[in-house]
Amino acid sequence: PKRLGKAIDPIVSRPEFAPAFWGIEVRSLASGRTLYARNADANVTRSVPIALGMMLKPDDEADLKRLARFIRDSRGDPIAQNFAVMALGQVGGDTAADLLRDLLFERVFGDEEDRAFVYLALGLCGARSPDARETLLGEYERADNDTEQSVLALACGIAKVAEAVLDGIGFRACG
């Protein structure tokens, strides 16, 4: 670890990088032990997915897959996980929609609050992905509570997939 710091610190301390804020954390893949850390607080970790969502393009398949892997690996930080989910939705396209559907069907998200972020991200993808729209409608039909149906109705509205009409229980998507 000391050698790692001796290698990284001179680089990030260069005068040309003076205006930069570095957030670095290097962990051992084998043990998970932190080998080097510099400003490695959660706010930086949480901000990176949002930045990626603004920079990536729908055809950046390898980077989108890395973002999905980050979602799977960040279960200890639900905020970072949900920011990354929304970043996939922001990028949009078929690859992002496929990755979001995979996360949903793998049940990476156990509770309805976390699944709500996946639904909303699919809604963002839905404008450009027929598969995302189909998934949203299928999930709406499967939903067994008002809260989940409401989030799905909102996601369907974002995707412009269907009209939302008020019925006796809440919002209902109809196509």
Side-chain angles (χ1 to χ4, degrees), residues 10-139:
I11 295 169
V12 299
S13 300
R14 290 183 191 164
E16 65 263 32
F17 298 135
F21 177 82
W22 294 89
I24 303 170
E25 183 173 20
V26 179
R27 291 186 186 182
S28 165
L29 291 176
S31 69
R33 186 172 65 96
T34 299
L35 303 175
Y36 174 86
R38 181 186 187 105
N39 299 321
D41 85 11
N43 291 329
V44 173
T45 303
R46 293 171 178 171
S47 299
V48 169
I50 297 296
L52 287 173
M54 292 187 280
M55 295 184 313
L56 294 177
K57 304 286 184 248
D59 60 349
D60 293 335
E61 190 170 328
D63 290 326
L64 292 172
K65 287 181 179 179
R66 281 190 200 96
L67 193 53
R69 190 168 39 252
F70 174 84
I71 293 165
R72 287 182 182 93
D73 294 344
S74 62
R75 289 189 184 164
D77 186 352
I79 294 171
Q81 188 179 43
N82 291 334
F83 280 3
V85 166
M86 294 308 293
L88 277 175
Q90 187 175 8
V91 173
D94 289 334
T95 299
D98 289 345
L99 291 167
L100 287 164
R101 280 194 352 261
D102 290 347
L103 291 167
L104 188 64
F105 296 136
E106 290 169 16
R107 297 296 181 214
V108 169
F109 301 95
D111 63 32
E112 67 185 35
E113 287 180 19
D114 291 332
R115 283 193 309 273
F117 281 90
V118 179
Y119 296 146
L120 294 172
L122 279 166
L124 292 172
C125 287
R128 298 179 299 242
S129 172
D131 288 343
R133 291 191 297 273
E134 183 179 317
T135 299
L136 287 170
L137 287 172
E139 286 295 298

Side-chain angles (χ1 to χ4, degrees), residues 104-105 107 119 132-146 148-153 156 161-163 165 167 171-175:
L104 188 64
F105 296 136
R107 297 296 181 214
Y119 296 146
R133 291 191 297 273
E134 183 179 317
T135 299
L136 287 170
L137 287 172
E139 286 295 298
Y140 182 85
E141 293 299 321
R142 181 206 56 76
D144 59 2
N145 66 66
D146 292 345
E148 203 163 15
Q149 285 181 331
S150 296
V151 172
L152 282 156
C156 286
V161 69
E163 292 180 344
V165 297
D167 69 14
F171 287 99
R172 176 122 175 106
C174 57

